[in-house]
Structures are given as structure tokens and as C-alpha cells.
Amino acid sequence: MDSILILEQLLNGLQFGLMLFLLAAGLTLVFGIMDMVNLAHGSLYMIGAYLIATIAAASGSFWLGLGAGITATCVIGMLLERTILQRFYHRDHLAQVMGTFAILLMANEAVRMIWGTQPMQLNAPAALAGPVTLLPGLSYSAYRLFIILVGLLVAGLMYLLITRTRLGMQVRAGASNREMALAMGTNVRWLFTALFVFGAGLCALAGGMLGPILAVQVGMGESILIPAFVVIVIGGIGSIRGALLGALLIGLVDTAGRTLIPLFFARIMAPDLAANAGPAVASILVYVLMAAVLFFKPDGLFPARG
């Protein structure tokens, strides 16, 4: 098999995994500390992408759109948490699922009414539009390399935030033993709001980064929500380290599977069978990985609660 193709798919998997990490990091903290199942998380990803695309189109600057869109999404996330979601904190998970699913549906309709049903275009910055030659015979998108760089930078900053700051100490304490954190005087209301706003900002960042690659369209949050929850299950609820490792595993397995398995089946099957079997097997690899992890480690690879 062509080594250039393998290297290219590894880079694609790394890029997709790091964007999944941006989505899953905020979600796992909300779930792990607040014990809140938030299906509206994908809606913030969608709203952030739309806001960034709209502001970028109006201003002619991708960077201005990215900064303003992330800020606006953080404000929306704060208002959503303070007015609606905090009412669900002391309810069971079924009520949380139903309530946040209703918010997801309403967000889809609101976006459809404001922006219409047609996908919006979000162009990458002109400076990052071309390819970069990494190796002889391997040219890779400069924008995708920029996404990888942003994902690694955010992961590093989150590591420093969680392990080296007082806020990070409170987050780790809340993830491992929320009752003890409350007893030690943690300002729970402020912490919950800060976590939710932080997660909303990461959602918007992921939406802005993926907008030039994927379509900015109604319902885009649902397609990314399930992989984000799979990342949390694999990595361990409340664990940033687990979210990073789980996201990278999912990104690599999903990307490599969708490319390499059809090629492998084409060598051992008739073309018509390979065309059907390859994509079908590749689409379930992520869930096979999740099942295998849960079989050997039911709490995930790096559970925060112990």
C-alpha cells in the first residue's frame, strides 16, 4: 500500500481527532462535574459556525469572524445556562435528555428561520488556501495543518489550565468527588457557568475551524454529537486526558477505516461487493472500538472519578 496515502490519512485522522477533542472536552467536563447530559452541546457548535460564517462574510475577514463568533457563542452559552439549563441540574438524566433535546430541535428551527435552509459558505484564509509540501510526493493542505496546530495548542493550554491553576484544581476536585468539592467551599454556581461558557467557546472554535471543510448547515450539530459522546465514553467521564486520547483514537480509526478498508476489500472481493461492504464495515469501527474499551475498562481509559 502507498506509504504517502497512509501518511495523508494519519494527518487527516489527527486533524479530525483534535476537532473532536474541542467538542468533547467541554462536554465531558459538563457531564463529569455538573452531572448534566447536554444534548444541546451540538447546537452551540452549529450556532458558532453560523455566526462565524456570517461575520466573516460581512467583514471579509475570517479572523474577525472567528473571534467575534466565538465571543457571541460564549454569551449565548452563558444565557442558556443561566436561564434554562440550571433548572435541570437537580433533575434526573431522563429530564435532562428530554429538555436539552428540545433545545436542540428549537435551535435547528431558529437557525432555519434566520439563515434559511441552504448551507452557508465559510472560506479559509487566503494565506492558508494552498498546499504545503511535507515530503517528496506528499502535499498537504495548509489549512488542515493549521487546524492540527490549533488543536494541539488548545490541548496544551487546557493541560496547563487544569493542572496548574486554582480553577483547574476545583475542576479536578469536582470531577473526582463533587460532594467533597462542595464541602471545601467551591463556588458551584460560578464554576458551572464558567465550565459551560468554556465548552461553548470550544464548540464555536471547532465549528469555525471545520466550517471551510464541512458544510455549515442546519443539523450539523447532530452529526458531530454522537462521536463526541463516544469520545467521552472511551476516555472516561470528566477526564480531559481521556477526552484527548479518545478523540485521537476515534479520529484515526474513523479516517483510516473509511479509506483503507474499502481498498482492502477491493483486493479480496468482487468490485460490487467491496463497494457495499467496505463503507458499511468502516462506519461501525468506532462503535466496535467503544465496545472493546467498555468490555475491558467499563469506566473508560482515564476515568476522573475514583
Side-chain angles (χ1 to χ4, degrees):
M1 188 174 295
D2 190 356
S3 59
I4 298 298
L5 174 63
I6 295 176
L7 289 174
E8 185 176 6
Q9 295 311 311
L10 288 175
L11 289 172
N12 287 339
L14 179 61
Q15 173 251 305
F16 179 54
L18 288 171
M19 288 301 99
L20 270 181
F21 168 70
L22 295 183
L23 289 163
L27 189 59
T28 193
L29 289 177
V30 169
F31 195 5
I33 297 176
M34 301 158 64
D35 198 26
M36 174 75 179
V37 182
N38 180 25
L39 296 185
H41 197 75
S43 297
L44 294 170
Y45 162 75
M46 175 184 65
I47 291 171
Y50 267 97
L51 289 173
I52 291 169
T54 301
I55 298 171
S59 64
S61 171
F62 173 84
W63 306 112
L64 180 60
L66 185 65
I70 291 174
T71 302
T73 306
C74 288
V75 173
I76 293 173
M78 181 181 66
L79 294 175
L80 181 64
E81 191 272 340
R82 300 296 286 179
T83 58
I84 299 176
L85 293 183
Q86 67 177 359
R87 302 175 184 273
F88 290 97
Y89 290 160
H90 300 294
R91 300 189 181 185
D92 59 25
H93 287 165
L94 178 59
Q96 294 170 358
V97 168
M98 298 301 293
T100 55
F101 183 66
I103 294 173
L104 181 147
L105 296 178
M106 289 187 288
N108 284 343
E109 295 305 316
V111 167
R112 187 176 285 111
M113 287 189 294
I114 296 171
W115 284 284
T117 58
Q118 296 300 317
M120 286 193 67
Q121 185 176 8
L122 178 59
N123 296 320
L128 300 174
V132 174
T133 301
L134 300 178
L135 294 171
L138 175 60
S139 294
Y140 197 72
S141 166
Y143 183 71
R144 288 181 180 268
L145 288 175
F146 174 70
I147 291 177
I148 293 174
L149 178 62
V150 169
L152 292 174
L153 180 61
V154 171
L157 291 176
M158 286 187 66
Y159 172 78
L160 294 176
L161 176 67
I162 296 296
T163 61
R164 297 291 188 268
T165 66
R166 181 178 179 83
L167 175 62
M169 178 183 66
Q170 293 176 335
V171 168
R172 286 183 284 117
S176 60
N177 193 323
R178 187 168 62 165
E179 290 76 14
M180 184 59 68
L182 291 173
M184 295 298 292
T186 299
N187 189 330
V188 176
R189 172 174 290 189
W190 183 88
L191 180 62
F192 281 10
T193 301
L195 286 175
F196 200 87
V197 170
F198 181 69
L202 290 179
C203 282
L205 176 60
M209 291 288 98
L210 291 176
I213 299 176
L214 306 176
V216 179
Q217 60 186 354
V218 177
M220 62 186 292
E222 288 91 322
S223 62
I224 207 72
L225 188 62
I226 294 177
F229 272 108
V230 172
V231 167
I232 293 174
V233 171
I234 290 177
I237 295 173
S239 172
I240 293 296
R241 179 176 57 168
L244 178 59
L245 180 58
L248 292 178
L249 284 174
I250 294 299
L252 292 173
V253 168
D254 182 77
T255 303
R258 292 182 185 278
T259 302
L260 302 180
I261 287 182
L263 293 178
F264 173 73
F265 278 9
R267 294 175 177 268
I268 62 175
M269 296 181 178
D272 55 340
L273 292 177
N276 294 324
V281 173
S283 64
I284 67 172
L285 276 182
V286 169
Y287 306 104
V288 172
L289 174 63
M290 180 180 69
V293 170
L294 289 178
F295 180 80
F296 292 103
K297 299 199 70 174
D299 293 329
L301 296 176
F302 298 102
R305 292 179 176 174

